[in-house]
Amino acid sequence: MQVLPVAGSLLGKDLMADNSVWLDFNDAPEQRDEIGSDTDALRSGLLNRLESVLHYLFPQGRIRADKFYIGDVDGNFGKSLVVELDDERRGLWKDFSTDEGGDIIDLWAQSQGRSARQDFPHIAGEIRRWLGLAPPTSTPLRRDPRSAPIDELGPHTAKWDYLTTEGELIACVYRYDPPTGKEYRPWDVRARMWRAPDPRPLYNLPLISKVREVVLVEGEKCADALVACGIAATSAMNGAKAPVNKTDWHPLAGKSIVIWPDRDAPGWDYAESAARACVTAGSTSVAILVPPTDKPTKWDATDAVAEGFDCSTFITKGDRRIVKAAAPLLPAFTLGELLDDNSPLPPDLISPRVLTPGGLLVFGGAPKVGKSDFLLSWLVHMAAGVPFLGMSPPRPLLVFYLQAEVQYHYLRERVKQIWLPPSRLETARANFVATPQLRLLLDDAGLARVIPAIANAFGGQPPDIITIDPIRNVFDGGDSGGENDNGAMLFFLSQRVERIRQDVNPDAGIILAHHTRKLGKKQFEEDPFQALAGAGSLRGYYSSGMILYRPDELLTTRQIIFELRNGPGIPLKHVDKIHDQWREVEPNERLVMQEYGHQLDAERRRKRDVILQILFEEAVQGRCYTANQFAECFESKAGLGGERTIRERLSALSTQGYIKYFRNAQEYGLPRIGRTKYGYMCVEGMALRMPAGKPDPDTGEVPLRELAIQPTHFKCPQSGAALPVENPDVWVYQDDINDTQEPA
């Protein structure tokens, strides 16, 4: 048997019949790589020729003041990477953009895309050959810093660069074609490692960032093929094998995406996953193309371009599965188009412009003002095609009344009291449909019940008017809050009310009944629609507004106030219910009623001083004040000035008889007064409004009662003392006495 020479002593001996030998390496010298182990010698050789080494590795570098500057280890132009050239720190370097650094051997390794630790034998061999300490190889010593090293897969056969939207290189994907089959390897430029960046970017970002419609394909080769045809295309890194959850899909937000999968099962599975990712990222529309059935398996966009397939037509008109439909385009018209359109306007549902097709009317009124009774009569007349208080339908309308206040038996009692011409009654019987008192919210579950009921109410015909009475009882604001929250109100209007309309009849008119809150007289006169309860967004949403208002609680006459967005204003109407019929009545500027005349006189006097009006309005809200409390509470408010000024004015009004006092606070449910000379203040006609029981379980309304406040004391004009009131119903004002006295 022939024995090969081995470093060290051979103590072998034939021990067996088959001539086997034993080799003993215990005394062999330590094995060393003569090239890779002499690190100090290599470093010394590089430092002796440092400037030449640096210019060899980085041709774009510059020397300034004992330092060598270059952009990065890839050799880009710049100043982020600095190499020291002085004696003590010669050869040490640092990249200030990445906070990396090391010695000259580390720099050599990183410039070649290698690791000085893991690839040291290879690096040492390159350095020895460059220094002339070893014979050169047949291949160049130095590769392009931006190219991939040649490894066991051989040289790459294709390369694709991944750039940011600004064109900065962030990753490369290399294709290799070894005998075992094609392989792809990503290179993270920033980390300078063989790996995919995290997250993985999309291909062709500079191009797709500038367009609205993008085709998503499998692989960079397919994307390049479509781009060559003038079609904006992208791909996820690794194509169908791309991990969807590790890819940054946000660049596709706001874009219309068409996914072109390869014609195989993995391709379709990838398309489904990518489509969901695009929807989550915020793409405006997403569709998956269905490859033609006559094409071979694995047929893709590259094959289509190569065979002259009409890719543009396939992308725009080919069979597809819609994952997310595009929203309708925002309509916009030039001035010329508007001027040239002479088509007739659509007829009002309720004229004159009270309710238009697709419009929304909010009908408001205070509790117990007769809002539901008025609304019921109005809707029945519209269903019969009969005018009502000057409001006329073009024909008998189909009206669906969704109400949540009146139970069935009392609803039928009310409709039997409505008078209609006998000739129109039969029409109204079929055209008007109402629900009994509903106990549901218009959430998803409620809509699932309400929408089919409305759609089928008229034998398949769409309704003309859908009425919801009241908003409060069916309100659903999602997760935003209650009806006083603007976001919640907009959610209710856009996601609940509009959904009903769109699913039933997009041209239907909507009427929403809503409560109003109490406003001061001056506020109401300035803008009565401020009284609509809840969020201000409600008013910005409707096309028409109506308020049923009772100016005097002692009278039955109501006022109807209109606000129209689509037509000229309608004058205020005075209406009353006479013999079970709502009629328009003539207003009286001053009724011949002594009691009502006294109220008007008291109101006129209060207007002479803002303090008197505040005391009157605060009592309506359930609040009364002593002089000190009022001065402290309203300091610098309503233009009243400081505390001292308010106290002086209160004293003067008390002397003149406009303010009197009452000390029996417990009879009105008010807190006992402490040390005060006079007591709680009051003015003529003042009434305290207080809760009178528990909230109504159906409407949530709290019943209120008004207590007329009568003074117990007044301020003596001569002495300033608090004197008992003899007759609380008599108010004597010093101004009136002075006016009646004859001048001397």
Side-chain angles (χ1 to χ4, degrees):
M1 174 178 177
Q2 183 179 3
V3 180
L4 298 177
V6 181
S9 60
L10 177 60
L11 302 179
K13 181 180 180 181
D14 289 342
L15 298 177
M16 303 187 65
D18 60 358
N19 296 327
S20 299
V21 298
W22 286 53
L23 302 180
D24 186 352
F25 293 96
N26 291 331
D27 297 330
E30 181 181 356
Q31 300 299 302
R32 302 179 61 193
D33 184 332
E34 295 181 0
I35 297 177
S37 63
D38 196 4
T39 306
D40 293 337
L42 296 177
R43 183 182 295 108
S44 177
L46 293 175
L47 293 178
N48 290 337
R49 301 171 60 185
L50 182 59
E51 288 77 2
S52 298
V53 172
L54 295 175
H55 282 299
Y56 167 72
L57 295 176
F58 308 114
Q60 297 193 69
R62 298 290 183 269
I63 295 177
R64 295 287 187 274
D66 296 329
K67 288 181 173 58
F68 181 87
Y69 295 92
I70 191 65
D72 50 38
V73 295
D74 291 327
N76 291 308
F77 181 79
K79 298 181 180 180
S80 296
L81 193 153
V82 181
V83 184
E84 299 288 346
L85 302 179
D86 61 8
D87 293 336
E88 295 181 359
R89 298 175 54 82
R90 185 174 175 83
L92 298 180
W93 64 277
K94 183 173 183 179
D95 189 336
F96 289 91
S97 65
T98 62
D99 205 30
E100 295 179 341
D103 63 8
I104 186 60
I105 295 180
D106 292 320
L107 185 59
W108 183 294
Q110 292 212 28
S111 71
Q112 306 302 310
R114 295 187 178 273
S115 168
R117 180 182 297 273
Q118 298 176 359
D119 303 320
F120 185 74
H122 184 90
I123 296 299
E126 287 186 354
I127 294 175
R128 287 182 63 82
R129 287 190 290 273
W130 190 85
L131 292 174
L133 302 178
T137 63
S138 59
T139 59
L141 292 181
R142 183 175 181 271
R143 65 174 181 84
D144 182 350
R146 290 185 175 274
S147 66
I150 299 174
D151 55 19
E152 68 276 7
L153 298 177
H156 64 265
T157 57
K159 172 177 175 286
W160 295 277
D161 291 337
Y162 280 72
L163 311 175
T164 66
T165 55
E166 292 78 21
E168 177 188 357
L169 182 67
I170 52 178
C172 304
V173 172
Y174 296 91
R175 172 173 170 166
Y176 298 88
D177 288 282
T180 55
K182 65 180 179 181
E183 292 189 27
Y184 297 88
R185 289 191 177 180
W187 171 257
D188 187 337
V189 172
R190 292 170 176 171
R192 290 180 294 280
M193 297 180 66
W194 286 109
R195 69 177 190 187
D198 187 16
R200 303 183 180 208
L202 294 173
Y203 188 55
N204 276 343
L205 284 179
L207 172 61
I208 66 174
S209 65
K210 301 175 183 178
V211 298
R212 293 185 178 181
E213 298 179 354
V214 177
V215 179
L216 176 63
V217 294
E218 290 185 36
E220 301 85 358
K221 185 178 179 181
C222 291
D224 288 345
L226 291 180
V227 170
C229 298
I231 299 170
T234 187
S235 171
M237 190 177 289
N238 292 106
K241 297 180 180 179
V244 173
N245 60 333
K246 294 184 178 180
T247 301
D248 183 8
W249 301 96
H250 290 95
L252 301 183
K255 300 183 183 298
S256 177
I257 308 301
V258 174
I259 302 176
W260 185 334
D262 291 359
R263 191 175 182 272
D264 54 21
W268 190 263
D269 292 341
Y270 162 73
E272 292 280 1
S273 300
R276 290 191 292 269
C278 293
V279 172
T280 302
S283 300
T284 56
S285 66
V286 181
I288 303 175
L289 291 173
V290 179
T293 56
D294 59 345
K295 298 301 180 182
T297 302
K298 298 186 179 299
W299 182 82
D300 60 15
T302 303
D303 299 324
V305 173
E307 67 187 36
F309 185 76
D310 190 348
C311 296
S312 297
T313 301
F314 178 57
I315 292 171
T316 56
K317 299 181 180 180
D319 292 340
R320 67 197 62 215
R321 187 178 86 79
I322 303 298
V323 179
K324 178 183 178 181
L329 294 177
L330 182 69
F333 305 96
T334 66
L335 176 61
E337 291 172 328
L338 296 173
L339 293 173
D340 295 340
D341 187 353
N342 296 317
S343 60
L345 294 174
D348 298 338
L349 290 174
I350 303 176
S351 63
R353 300 290 174 88
V354 175
L355 183 62
T356 54
L360 187 145
L361 183 149
V362 174
F363 177 55
K368 310 304 181 184
V369 76
K371 180 171 67 271
S372 294
D373 188 272
F374 180 96
L375 183 59
L376 184 61
S377 296
W378 181 23
L379 295 177
V380 168
H381 280 73
M382 299 301 100
V386 177
F388 181 79
L389 300 176
M391 297 177 284
S392 304
R395 52 180 169 76
L397 302 177
L398 301 179
V399 179
F400 191 95
Y401 183 36
L402 189 153
Q403 64 92 25
E405 281 195 329
V406 184
Q407 296 174 349
Y408 169 77
H409 296 294
Y410 307 104
L411 177 65
R412 65 186 178 93
E413 180 184 43
R414 289 190 181 186
V415 298
K416 290 178 180 180
Q417 296 173 354
I418 300 173
W419 184 89
L420 285 175
S423 60
R424 299 296 183 91
L425 181 58
E426 195 63 29
T427 301
R429 289 173 64 95
N431 285 2
F432 177 84
V433 175
T435 66
Q437 183 184 25
L438 288 183
R439 297 184 183 273
L440 56 75
L441 297 179
L442 290 182
D443 53 12
D444 289 331
L447 293 180
R449 296 176 58 191
V450 167
I451 291 175
I454 300 176
N456 298 321
F458 304 101
Q461 290 184 280
D464 298 302
I465 296 177
I466 302 170
T467 302
I468 300 174
D469 178 20
I471 291 178
R472 178 176 298 170
N473 290 17
V474 297
F475 185 84
D476 174 53
D479 297 329
S480 300
E483 63 184 69
N484 291 319
D485 182 88
N486 276 312
M489 180 60 75
L490 284 174
F491 178 89
F492 176 73
L493 295 172
S494 62
Q495 303 300 317
R496 300 311 189 204
V497 176
E498 286 297 338
R499 181 175 164 188
I500 293 174
R501 188 198 331 241
Q502 293 302 319
D503 288 356
V504 175
N505 179 14
D507 292 327
I510 301 288
I511 299 177
L512 302 179
H514 199 33
H515 295 301
T516 57
R517 61 178 181 268
K518 186 70 175 180
L519 288 183
K521 186 175 181 63
K522 183 177 181 181
Q523 288 179 297
F524 191 87
E525 289 176 350
E526 290 177 350
D527 187 356
F529 287 89
Q530 293 183 71
L532 287 173
S537 57
L538 174 64
R539 189 177 182 187
Y541 202 90
Y542 64 64
S543 57
S544 306
M546 286 175 55
I547 288 181
L548 185 65
Y549 170 63
R550 179 180 288 169
D552 192 289
E553 296 296 330
L554 300 177
L555 302 176
T556 59
T557 304
R558 284 86 153 181
Q559 295 177 355
I560 303 178
I561 307 170
F562 296 87
E563 182 179 50
L564 305 184
R565 301 280 169 80
N566 294 330
I570 299 177
L572 178 147
K573 294 178 181 289
H574 296 264
V575 299
D576 201 352
K577 191 172 184 181
I578 303 172
H579 302 303
D580 292 330
Q581 294 187 51
W582 287 93
R583 298 180 180 179
E584 192 168 356
V585 297
E586 291 293 330
N588 294 318
E589 294 184 357
R590 184 178 180 97
L591 301 179
V592 187
M593 296 171 58
Q594 185 176 7
E595 183 178 356
Y596 188 62
H598 287 323
Q599 291 181 3
L600 294 179
D601 292 336
E603 181 179 351
R604 186 184 70 252
R605 292 190 183 98
R606 288 196 303 272
K607 288 184 177 179
R608 294 168 60 177
D609 195 290
V610 66
I611 289 179
L612 303 181
Q613 185 65 27
I614 290 175
L615 287 171
F616 184 88
E617 293 177 353
E618 286 292 294
V620 173
Q621 302 297 324
R623 296 183 289 269
C624 293
Y625 302 86
T626 65
N628 287 337
Q629 291 172 344
F630 187 90
E632 292 173 359
C633 184
F634 290 90
E635 181 183 13
S636 301
K637 295 180 180 178
L640 296 181
E643 278 190 46
R644 180 176 179 181
T645 302
I646 296 175
R647 286 194 178 95
E648 290 175 352
R649 185 59 187 158
L650 290 173
S651 177
L653 290 170
S654 300
T655 301
Q656 296 168 1
Y658 287 101
I659 293 178
K660 293 184 181 180
Y661 304 88
F662 63 100
R663 295 180 175 178
N664 54 340
Q666 63 278 6
E667 296 182 10
Y668 300 98
L670 296 173
R672 292 180 178 273
I673 56 177
R675 294 184 177 181
T676 176
K677 182 176 180 180
Y678 298 103
Y680 283 106
M681 298 183 292
C682 63
V683 298
E684 184 180 7
M686 181 168 148
L688 183 66
R689 185 170 293 178
M690 302 291 286
K694 297 181 180 179
D696 188 310
D698 295 331
T699 65
E701 297 173 0
V702 177
L704 301 174
R705 60 172 180 166
E706 286 191 354
L707 301 176
I709 295 179
Q710 293 187 323
T712 61
H713 291 76
F714 72 100
K715 178 182 177 182
C716 178
Q718 287 76 30
S719 65
L723 301 179
V725 171
E726 295 181 1
N727 187 347
D729 295 324
V730 176
W731 287 72
V732 179
Y733 302 99
Q734 295 299 315
D735 291 350
D736 293 345
I737 295 175
N738 295 335
D739 290 341
T740 58
Q741 291 178 348
E742 295 181 2

